[in-house]
Amino acid sequence: GNSVTQMEGPVTLSEEAFLTINCTYTATGYPSLFWYVQYPGEGLQLLLKATKADDKGSNKGFEATYRKETTSFHLEKGSVQVSDSAVYFCALSDRTDSWGKLQFGAGTQVVVTP
Amino acid sequence: DTGVSQNPRHKITKRGQNVTFRCDPISEHNRLYWYRQTLGQGPEFLTYFQNEAQLEKSRLLSDRFSAERPKGSFSTLEIQRTEQGDSAMYLCASSYQVTQYFGPGTRLTVL
């Protein structure tokens, strides 16, 4: 079956530091990949997505590249801010599953200190 | 901006009671999904609808859970005879194609 594995948190960084959150996946088909972010007390917000190999999703300074050869979709940001403190979820949706559901990783909490 | 809305935002109930949650999707989104999220975990899929048809149900969705989307617009999720293990955040999402957009969730606490 499909699965998503993320690096465990919490990840604690100083403001302006470089952030990387690793995400790898297993899929029977050819999935679309997503990063969602959950701020404290809020629902999930779509951060970025990529639908095919070598696509790069980007938003708000975050980037992730769909790497089919390594089955990875690592999230990066060059200079984090305190406002980036949140839980980040990697997820996939598989066309062989009629795009019916998202399979999520366990989430990675990021804490950015001033 | 009319995103996905969920009501109520919080629900506290006693074990054995029935509860019902409502989700209003983004207008014109034909797909609607329900997920459950427990503390420290990623959301887990429960069920989804395309228009009014319920196309898939997870094994997580026991017989005490039922979901409907009678007119292909809003959806309800009912939990009968609640148990303490049902305490979680219940998330609704909608989509037109692949990308799902989430509501703020309903936090259920079963005492």
Side-chain angles (χ1 to χ4, degrees):
Chain A
N2 297 338
S3 67
V4 176
T5 303
Q6 291 181 235
M7 62 187 285
E8 290 189 18
V11 174
T12 302
L13 303 163
S14 298
E15 209 165 20
E16 299 183 1
F18 185 87
L19 170 67
T20 298
I21 304 175
N22 291 339
C23 171
T24 57
Y25 68 89
T26 302
T28 54
Y30 198 174
S32 289
L33 301 173
F34 304 84
W35 278 100
Y36 284 85
V37 58
Q38 190 171 35
Y39 298 101
E42 298 185 13
L44 278 79
Q45 298 179 23
L46 177 67
L47 184 57
L48 53 82
K49 66 179 182 182
T51 58
K52 61 183 187 296
D54 300 325
D55 266 3
K56 177 185 284 188
S58 61
N59 187 26
K60 300 181 181 179
F62 290 89
E63 293 183 341
T65 301
Y66 188 162
R67 300 288 189 199
K68 189 166 184 276
E69 64 276 13
T70 55
T71 61
S72 65
F73 192 53
H74 305 321
L75 183 68
E76 297 180 336
K77 186 174 185 182
S79 177
V80 293
Q81 305 300 312
V82 172
S83 58
D84 294 324
S85 298
V87 181
Y88 293 81
F89 292 95
C90 185
L92 70 81
S93 180
D94 192 341
R95 71 177 61 186
T96 63
D97 202 11
S98 302
W99 308 115
K101 57 182 174 279
L102 285 168
Q103 180 75 45
F104 284 89
T108 302
Q109 183 180 10
V110 172
V111 178
V112 181
T113 58
Chain B
D1 177 14
T2 53
V4 179
S5 62
Q6 293 187 244
N7 288 288
R9 294 290 308 275
H10 303 274
K11 179 69 176 179
I12 300 174
T13 191
K14 293 181 178 180
R15 188 176 53 186
Q17 297 296 304
N18 299 345
V19 294
T20 300
F21 310 140
R22 176 179 170 125
C23 172
D24 288 89
I26 294 171
S27 298
E28 300 175 357
H29 278 191
N30 58 344
R31 290 191 171 201
L32 187 149
Y33 311 78
W34 287 99
Y35 294 83
R36 180 170 66 188
Q37 184 180 21
T38 53
L39 198 61
Q41 300 298 315
E44 296 174 298
F45 169 79
L46 293 178
T47 187
Y48 90 96
F49 294 83
Q50 181 159 307
N51 300 313
E52 64 273 12
Q54 188 173 18
L55 296 188
E56 186 175 351
K57 292 169 59 174
S58 164
R59 287 170 297 178
L60 292 174
L61 213 64
S62 77
D63 292 344
R64 298 184 297 104
F65 287 70
S66 63
E68 295 183 341
R69 194 183 183 198
K71 298 182 180 180
S73 57
F74 72 91
S75 175
T76 57
L77 177 68
E78 181 183 18
I79 308 174
Q80 296 182 328
R81 305 180 303 281
T82 52
E83 302 173 356
Q84 288 185 325
D86 297 331
S87 295
M89 177 76 85
Y90 289 84
L91 297 168
C92 176
S94 69
S95 75
Y96 179 67
Q97 294 179 335
V98 176
T99 304
Q100 297 182 27
Y101 297 90
F102 283 79
T106 295
R107 181 167 295 285
L108 173 66
T109 302
V110 181
L111 301 176

Coordinates of all heavy atoms in Angstrom, one line a residue, chain A residues 25-80:
Chain A
Y25 N 8.4 8.5 0.1 CA 7.1 7.9 -0.1 C 7.2 6.5 -0.7 O 8.2 6.2 -1.4 CB 6.1 8.8 -0.9 CG 6.6 8.9 -2.3 CD1 6.1 8.0 -3.3 CD2 7.4 9.9 -2.7 CE1 6.6 8.2 -4.6 CE2 7.9 10.1 -4.0 CZ 7.4 9.2 -5.0 OH 7.8 9.3 -6.3
T26 N 6.1 5.7 -0.6 CA 6.0 4.5 -1.3 C 4.6 4.5 -1.9 O 3.6 4.8 -1.2 CB 6.0 3.3 -0.3 OG1 7.3 3.3 0.4 CG2 5.9 2.0 -1.1
A27 N 4.5 4.2 -3.2 CA 3.3 4.3 -3.9 C 3.2 3.2 -5.0 O 4.2 3.0 -5.6 CB 3.0 5.7 -4.5
T28 N 2.0 2.6 -5.2 CA 1.9 1.6 -6.2 C 1.7 2.2 -7.5 O 2.0 1.6 -8.5 CB 0.7 0.7 -5.9 OG1 -0.5 1.6 -5.7 CG2 0.9 -0.1 -4.6
G29 N 1.2 3.5 -7.6 CA 1.0 4.1 -8.9 C 1.9 5.3 -9.1 O 3.1 5.2 -8.7
Y30 N 1.4 6.4 -9.6 CA 2.2 7.5 -9.9 C 1.5 8.7 -9.2 O 0.6 9.4 -9.7 CB 2.2 7.7 -11.4 CG 3.2 8.7 -12.0 CD1 3.4 8.8 -13.3 CD2 4.1 9.4 -11.1 CE1 4.3 9.7 -13.8 CE2 5.1 10.2 -11.6 CZ 5.2 10.3 -13.0 OH 6.2 11.2 -13.5
P31 N 2.0 9.0 -8.0 CA 1.2 9.9 -7.1 C 1.5 11.4 -7.4 O 2.5 11.7 -8.0 CB 1.7 9.6 -5.7 CG 3.1 9.1 -5.9 CD 3.1 8.4 -7.3
S32 N 0.6 12.2 -6.9 CA 0.8 13.6 -6.7 C 1.2 13.8 -5.3 O 0.8 13.1 -4.4 CB -0.5 14.4 -7.0 OG -0.8 14.4 -8.4
L33 N 2.1 14.8 -5.1 CA 2.7 15.0 -3.8 C 2.4 16.4 -3.2 O 2.3 17.3 -4.0 CB 4.2 14.8 -3.8 CG 4.6 13.4 -4.3 CD1 6.2 13.4 -4.5 CD2 4.2 12.3 -3.3
F34 N 2.2 16.5 -1.9 CA 1.8 17.7 -1.3 C 2.5 18.0 0.0 O 2.9 17.0 0.7 CB 0.3 17.7 -1.0 CG -0.6 17.3 -2.1 CD1 -0.8 16.0 -2.5 CD2 -1.3 18.3 -2.8 CE1 -1.6 15.7 -3.6 CE2 -2.1 18.0 -3.9 CZ -2.3 16.7 -4.3
W35 N 2.6 19.2 0.3 CA 3.0 19.7 1.7 C 1.9 20.5 2.2 O 1.4 21.5 1.5 CB 4.3 20.4 1.7 CG 5.5 19.6 1.7 CD1 6.3 19.3 0.7 CD2 6.1 18.9 2.9 NE1 7.3 18.4 1.1 CE2 7.2 18.2 2.4 CE3 5.7 18.8 4.2 CZ2 8.0 17.4 3.3 CZ3 6.5 18.0 5.0 CH2 7.6 17.4 4.6
Y36 N 1.4 20.1 3.4 CA 0.4 20.9 4.1 C 1.0 21.5 5.4 O 1.9 20.8 6.0 CB -0.8 20.1 4.5 CG -1.8 19.8 3.3 CD1 -1.6 18.7 2.5 CD2 -2.9 20.6 3.1 CE1 -2.4 18.5 1.4 CE2 -3.8 20.3 2.0 CZ -3.5 19.3 1.2 OH -4.4 19.0 0.2
V37 N 0.5 22.6 5.8 CA 1.0 23.2 7.1 C -0.2 23.4 8.0 O -1.3 23.8 7.6 CB 1.8 24.5 6.8 CG1 0.9 25.5 6.1 CG2 2.3 25.1 8.1
Q38 N 0.1 23.1 9.3 CA -0.9 23.3 10.3 C -0.4 24.2 11.4 O 0.5 23.8 12.2 CB -1.4 22.0 10.9 CG -2.6 22.0 11.8 CD -3.1 20.6 12.1 OE1 -2.3 19.7 12.3 NE2 -4.4 20.5 12.2
Y39 N -0.9 25.5 11.5 CA -0.5 26.4 12.5 C -1.3 26.0 13.8 O -2.4 25.4 13.7 CB -0.8 27.8 12.1 CG 0.0 28.2 10.9 CD1 -0.5 28.2 9.6 CD2 1.4 28.5 11.0 CE1 0.2 28.6 8.5 CE2 2.2 28.8 9.9 CZ 1.6 28.8 8.7 OH 2.3 29.1 7.6
P40 N -0.8 26.4 15.0 CA -1.5 26.1 16.2 C -3.0 26.4 16.2 O -3.3 27.6 15.9 CB -0.7 26.8 17.2 CG 0.7 27.0 16.7 CD 0.4 27.2 15.2
G41 N -3.8 25.5 16.5 CA -5.2 25.7 16.6 C -6.0 25.9 15.3 O -7.2 26.3 15.3
E42 N -5.3 25.6 14.2 CA -6.0 25.8 12.9 C -6.0 24.5 12.1 O -5.4 23.5 12.5 CB -5.2 26.9 12.1 CG -5.2 28.2 12.8 CD -4.5 29.3 11.9 OE1 -4.3 29.0 10.7 OE2 -4.2 30.4 12.4
G43 N -6.7 24.5 11.0 CA -6.8 23.4 10.1 C -5.6 23.4 9.2 O -4.7 24.2 9.3
L44 N -5.6 22.4 8.3 CA -4.5 22.2 7.4 C -4.6 23.2 6.2 O -5.7 23.4 5.6 CB -4.4 20.8 6.8 CG -3.8 19.8 7.7 CD1 -4.7 19.3 8.8 CD2 -3.3 18.6 6.9
Q45 N -3.5 23.8 5.9 CA -3.4 24.7 4.7 C -2.5 24.1 3.7 O -1.4 23.6 4.0 CB -2.9 26.1 5.1 CG -3.8 26.8 6.1 CD -3.2 28.2 6.4 OE1 -2.4 28.7 5.7 NE2 -3.6 28.7 7.6
L46 N -2.9 24.1 2.4 CA -2.0 23.6 1.4 C -0.8 24.6 1.3 O -1.0 25.8 1.1 CB -2.8 23.5 0.0 CG -1.9 23.1 -1.1 CD1 -1.5 21.7 -1.0 CD2 -2.7 23.3 -2.4
L47 N 0.4 24.0 1.3 CA 1.6 24.9 1.2 C 2.1 24.8 -0.3 O 2.3 25.9 -0.9 CB 2.6 24.4 2.2 CG 3.9 25.2 2.2 CD1 3.7 26.6 2.6 CD2 4.9 24.6 3.2
L48 N 2.2 23.6 -0.8 CA 2.7 23.5 -2.2 C 2.4 22.1 -2.7 O 2.1 21.2 -1.9 CB 4.2 23.8 -2.3 CG 5.2 23.1 -1.4 CD1 5.6 21.8 -2.0 CD2 6.4 24.0 -1.3
K49 N 2.5 21.9 -4.0 CA 2.3 20.6 -4.5 C 3.1 20.4 -5.8 O 3.6 21.3 -6.4 CB 0.8 20.4 -4.9 CG 0.3 21.3 -6.0 CD -1.1 21.1 -6.3 CE -1.6 22.1 -7.5 NZ -3.0 21.9 -7.8
A50 N 3.2 19.1 -6.2 CA 3.9 18.7 -7.4 C 3.2 17.5 -8.0 O 2.9 16.5 -7.2 CB 5.4 18.4 -7.2
T51 N 2.9 17.4 -9.3 CA 2.1 16.4 -9.8 C 2.9 15.4 -10.7 O 2.3 14.3 -11.0 CB 0.9 16.9 -10.6 OG1 1.5 17.8 -11.7 CG2 0.0 17.8 -9.8
K52 N 4.1 15.7 -11.0 CA 4.9 14.7 -11.8 C 6.3 14.9 -11.5 O 6.8 15.9 -11.0 CB 4.6 14.9 -13.3 CG 5.0 16.3 -13.9 CD 4.6 16.3 -15.4 CE 5.1 17.6 -16.0 NZ 4.5 18.8 -15.5
A53 N 7.1 13.9 -11.9 CA 8.5 13.8 -11.6 C 9.2 15.1 -12.1 O 9.0 15.6 -13.2 CB 9.1 12.6 -12.3
D54 N 10.1 15.6 -11.3 CA 11.0 16.7 -11.5 C 10.3 18.1 -11.4 O 10.9 19.1 -11.5 CB 11.7 16.7 -12.8 CG 12.6 15.4 -13.0 OD1 13.2 15.1 -12.0 OD2 12.7 14.9 -14.1
D55 N 8.9 18.0 -11.1 CA 8.2 19.2 -10.8 C 8.7 19.8 -9.5 O 9.0 19.1 -8.6 CB 6.7 18.9 -10.7 CG 5.9 19.1 -11.9 OD1 6.5 19.4 -13.0 OD2 4.7 18.9 -11.9
K56 N 8.8 21.2 -9.5 CA 9.1 21.8 -8.2 C 7.9 22.6 -7.8 O 7.4 23.5 -8.6 CB 10.3 22.7 -8.4 CG 10.7 23.5 -7.2 CD 11.8 24.5 -7.4 CE 13.1 23.8 -7.4 NZ 14.3 24.8 -7.5
G57 N 7.4 22.4 -6.6 CA 6.4 23.2 -6.0 C 7.0 24.3 -5.2 O 8.1 24.1 -4.5
S58 N 6.4 25.5 -5.2 CA 7.0 26.6 -4.3 C 5.9 27.5 -3.9 O 4.9 27.7 -4.6 CB 8.0 27.3 -5.1 OG 7.5 27.9 -6.2
N59 N 6.1 28.1 -2.7 CA 5.1 29.0 -2.1 C 5.7 29.6 -0.8 O 6.3 28.8 0.0 CB 3.8 28.3 -1.8 CG 2.7 29.2 -1.3 OD1 2.7 30.4 -1.7 ND2 1.8 28.7 -0.5
K60 N 5.6 30.9 -0.6 CA 6.0 31.5 0.6 C 7.4 31.3 0.9 O 7.8 31.2 2.1 CB 5.1 31.1 1.8 CG 3.6 31.5 1.6 CD 2.8 31.0 2.8 CE 1.4 31.3 2.7 NZ 0.6 30.9 3.8
G61 N 8.3 31.1 -0.1 CA 9.7 30.8 0.2 C 10.0 29.4 0.4 O 11.2 29.0 0.5
F62 N 9.0 28.5 0.5 CA 9.3 27.1 0.6 C 9.3 26.4 -0.8 O 8.6 26.9 -1.7 CB 8.1 26.4 1.4 CG 8.1 26.7 2.8 CD1 7.4 27.9 3.3 CD2 8.7 26.0 3.8 CE1 7.3 28.2 4.6 CE2 8.7 26.3 5.1 CZ 8.0 27.4 5.6
E63 N 10.1 25.4 -0.9 CA 10.3 24.7 -2.2 C 10.3 23.2 -1.9 O 10.8 22.8 -0.8 CB 11.5 25.1 -2.9 CG 11.5 26.5 -3.4 CD 12.8 26.8 -4.3 OE1 13.8 26.0 -4.1 OE2 12.8 27.7 -5.0
A64 N 9.9 22.4 -2.8 CA 10.0 20.9 -2.8 C 10.0 20.4 -4.2 O 9.2 20.8 -5.0 CB 8.9 20.3 -2.0
T65 N 10.9 19.4 -4.5 CA 11.1 18.9 -5.8 C 10.7 17.4 -5.8 O 11.2 16.6 -4.9 CB 12.5 19.0 -6.4 OG1 12.8 20.4 -6.4 CG2 12.6 18.5 -7.8
Y66 N 9.8 17.0 -6.7 CA 9.3 15.6 -6.8 C 10.5 14.8 -7.5 O 10.8 14.9 -8.6 CB 8.1 15.7 -7.7 CG 7.3 14.4 -7.9 CD1 6.0 14.5 -8.4 CD2 7.8 13.1 -7.6 CE1 5.2 13.3 -8.5 CE2 7.1 12.0 -7.8 CZ 5.8 12.1 -8.2 OH 5.0 11.0 -8.4
R67 N 11.1 13.9 -6.7 CA 12.2 13.1 -7.1 C 11.7 11.7 -7.2 O 11.6 10.9 -6.2 CB 13.4 13.2 -6.2 CG 13.9 14.6 -6.0 CD 14.7 15.1 -7.2 NE 15.4 16.3 -6.9 CZ 15.8 17.1 -7.9 NH1 15.6 16.8 -9.2 NH2 16.5 18.2 -7.6
K68 N 11.4 11.2 -8.4 CA 10.9 9.8 -8.6 C 12.0 8.8 -8.3 O 11.7 7.7 -7.8 CB 10.3 9.7 -10.0 CG 9.6 8.4 -10.3 CD 8.8 8.5 -11.5 CE 7.9 7.3 -11.8 NZ 8.7 6.2 -12.4
E69 N 13.2 9.1 -8.7 CA 14.3 8.1 -8.6 C 14.6 7.8 -7.1 O 15.0 6.7 -6.8 CB 15.5 8.6 -9.3 CG 16.2 9.9 -8.8 CD 15.6 11.2 -9.3 OE1 14.5 11.1 -9.9 OE2 16.1 12.2 -9.1
T70 N 14.4 8.8 -6.2 CA 14.6 8.6 -4.8 C 13.3 8.6 -4.0 O 13.4 8.5 -2.8 CB 15.5 9.7 -4.2 OG1 14.9 11.0 -4.5 CG2 16.9 9.6 -4.8
T71 N 12.2 8.6 -4.7 CA 10.9 8.6 -4.1 C 10.9 9.6 -2.9 O 10.5 9.3 -1.8 CB 10.4 7.2 -3.6 OG1 11.3 6.7 -2.7 CG2 10.3 6.3 -4.8
S72 N 11.3 10.8 -3.2 CA 11.3 11.8 -2.1 C 10.7 13.1 -2.6 O 10.5 13.4 -3.8 CB 12.8 12.1 -1.8 OG 13.5 12.6 -2.9
F73 N 10.4 13.9 -1.5 CA 9.7 15.2 -1.8 C 10.1 16.1 -0.6 O 9.3 16.5 0.2 CB 8.2 15.1 -1.9 CG 7.5 16.3 -2.4 CD1 7.8 16.9 -3.6 CD2 6.4 16.8 -1.7 CE1 7.1 18.0 -4.1 CE2 5.6 17.9 -2.2 CZ 6.0 18.5 -3.4
H74 N 11.4 16.4 -0.4 CA 11.9 17.1 0.7 C 11.5 18.6 0.7 O 11.6 19.2 -0.4 CB 13.4 17.0 0.8 CG 13.9 15.6 0.8 ND1 13.2 14.6 1.5 CD2 15.0 15.0 0.2 CE1 13.9 13.5 1.3 NE2 15.0 13.7 0.6
L75 N 11.1 19.1 1.8 CA 10.7 20.6 1.9 C 11.9 21.4 2.4 O 12.6 21.0 3.3 CB 9.5 20.7 2.9 CG 9.0 22.1 3.1 CD1 8.2 22.5 1.8 CD2 8.0 22.1 4.3
E76 N 12.1 22.6 1.7 CA 13.2 23.4 2.1 C 12.7 24.9 2.1 O 11.9 25.3 1.4 CB 14.3 23.3 1.1 CG 15.0 21.9 1.0 CD 16.1 21.9 0.0 OE1 16.1 22.7 -0.9 OE2 17.0 21.0 0.2
K77 N 13.4 25.6 3.0 CA 13.2 27.1 3.0 C 14.6 27.7 3.4 O 15.2 27.2 4.4 CB 12.2 27.5 4.0 CG 11.9 29.0 3.9 CD 10.7 29.5 4.7 CE 10.5 31.0 4.4 NZ 9.4 31.6 5.3
G78 N 15.0 28.7 2.7 CA 16.3 29.2 2.9 C 16.5 30.0 4.2 O 17.6 30.1 4.7
S79 N 15.4 30.7 4.6 CA 15.6 31.6 5.8 C 14.2 31.6 6.5 O 13.3 32.3 6.1 CB 16.0 33.0 5.3 OG 16.0 33.9 6.4
V80 N 14.2 30.9 7.6 CA 12.9 30.8 8.3 C 12.6 32.0 9.2 O 13.6 32.6 9.7 CB 12.8 29.5 9.1 CG1 12.8 28.3 8.2 CG2 13.9 29.4 10.1

